[in-house]
Amino acid sequence: MKVTYIHHSAFCVETAGKALVFDYYRGDRVPDCVYQGKMPELPEEMPVYVFSSHSHQDHFDPEVLKWSRDYPNIRYIFSKDIKKKLGNSALRRLGVEETIKDRITYVKPGEQHEIDGITVETLLSTDAGVAFLVTVSGKVIYHAGDLNWWRWEGEPEEFNEYQEKTYKEQIDLLSERKIDLAFVVLDPRQEKDRYLGIDYYLEHVQAEYIVPMHMWKEYGVIQEYSSLPRNAAVRNKILVVERENQEIILR
């Protein structure tokens, strides 16, 4: 597998002659944190599958529908909450044909879909939309979207309890699964609680490789996490991204 870290939570995974793109958005959509990462150039004939976990501006960009002009074998797998953003007027503004709707599969939590031999399973996010579990040519890829153990100081205890309970329930669904590649949230804004979600994932899911994401350009937090003494046994599983459009080859 060839993994391209585009930026934030956006990745392109090339495997078995297919490209899977997760949570792409144009890097200037969030003014407080501007990225320069670009979608890698792919062969025109390559089948491309675009996954968007939910409608937040740092995870979804309607611009991806324009890629259908360049890639005739493109399919879209969008969380159901995105559908309301893509009415006919939005499609006209994008300059894409209304027939693009036939290439979009909308998904909800707890579903399984078969798309061109790819199995797509979904989990319930603790924020919005879904997390993805994608099986392609025997490889299993997990992308969390915003499924994370969100704990924020100042929030009502009921909120934080819901976050913990729901996150653990969803991740426990993967405890018997073997994951080849997992993209997992590590958000420095959570300060002392930033490791809660990724810790629980590593403790309960068999993952060959883990790629932390959603770091708002604070890449040092990955090395900091990897270097913790308690992670010595899993350190070789944690892949460190340090820059936009970084490429990682997994054999």
Side-chain angles (χ1 to χ4, degrees):
M1 285 189 288
K2 176 182 177 182
V3 180
T4 302
Y5 167 65
I6 301 173
H7 49 235
H8 198 50
S9 299
F11 294 85
C12 178
V13 179
E14 298 172 59
T15 184
K18 299 178 174 66
L20 284 61
V21 183
F22 294 95
D23 281 14
Y24 172 88
Y25 74 99
R26 205 176 71 199
D28 61 356
R29 295 293 198 196
V30 182
D32 293 339
C33 188
V34 175
Y35 290 95
Q36 305 300 323
K38 304 294 182 184
M39 173 68 180
E41 291 187 13
L42 303 169
E44 179 182 350
E45 69 280 1
M46 177 176 277
V48 179
Y49 301 86
V50 181
F51 296 83
S52 296
S53 64
H54 61 290
S55 62
H56 291 173
Q57 63 184 355
D58 62 322
H59 291 264
F60 170 69
D61 195 327
E63 185 175 285
V64 298
L65 294 174
K66 295 181 181 179
W67 297 352
S68 60
R69 302 169 186 166
D70 301 317
Y71 301 107
N73 299 315
I74 197 168
R75 293 288 301 270
Y76 300 93
I77 301 91
F78 291 164
S79 174
K80 189 73 175 291
D81 64 303
I82 292 172
K83 190 171 186 179
K84 67 183 69 172
K85 289 194 170 186
L86 295 179
N88 293 337
S89 60
L91 296 178
R92 284 194 296 271
R93 286 195 300 272
L94 290 167
V96 297
E97 299 291 335
E98 191 173 338
T99 54
I100 195 69
K101 293 179 180 179
D102 297 333
R103 302 195 197 184
I104 303 173
T105 300
Y106 290 104
V107 298
K108 296 184 292 185
E111 293 185 341
Q112 178 173 317
H113 298 260
E114 299 291 331
I115 302 171
D116 299 343
I118 298 174
T119 301
V120 180
E121 300 169 76
T122 55
L123 301 176
L124 172 68
S125 176
T126 45
D127 188 358
V130 301
F132 289 110
L133 192 69
V134 182
T135 304
V136 51
S137 300
K139 298 293 186 182
V140 182
I141 301 166
Y142 169 80
H143 190 283
D146 266 352
L147 173 57
N148 185 36
W149 184 342
W150 299 108
R151 182 176 180 84
W152 302 104
E153 292 294 332
E155 288 288 346
E157 195 55 33
E158 292 82 359
F159 170 88
N160 288 326
E161 288 175 356
Y162 169 82
Q163 290 289 317
E164 178 179 357
K165 177 176 181 291
T166 304
Y167 184 75
K168 288 181 176 180
E169 287 174 348
Q170 294 302 299
I171 298 307
D172 287 352
L173 294 173
L174 305 178
S175 62
E176 302 298 322
R177 304 290 293 268
K178 172 67 168 59
I179 312 296
D180 293 284
L181 177 63
F183 301 105
V184 181
V185 174
L186 176 57
D187 194 320
R189 300 175 304 169
Q190 289 186 269
E191 299 179 337
K192 66 181 179 61
D193 295 317
R194 61 188 178 273
Y195 300 146
L196 287 175
I198 195 168
D199 272 349
Y200 193 84
Y201 193 94
L202 277 166
E203 290 165 6
H204 293 84
V205 182
Q206 299 179 56
E208 190 73 19
Y209 294 104
I210 302 278
V211 183
M213 65 177 189
H214 210 272
M215 295 153 304
W216 303 101
K217 301 183 83 168
E218 293 188 34
Y219 299 118
V221 73
I222 305 178
Q223 191 63 58
E224 174 188 276
Y225 180 69
S226 177
S227 299
L228 293 175
R230 68 172 184 264
N231 287 331
V234 296
R235 192 163 294 140
N236 62 339
K237 295 184 175 186
I238 302 170
L239 303 182
V240 177
V241 294
E242 303 171 303
R243 63 186 183 280
E244 295 149 44
N245 282 117
Q246 178 179 339
E247 295 180 359
I248 302 170
I249 305 297
L250 303 178
R251 304 189 186 280

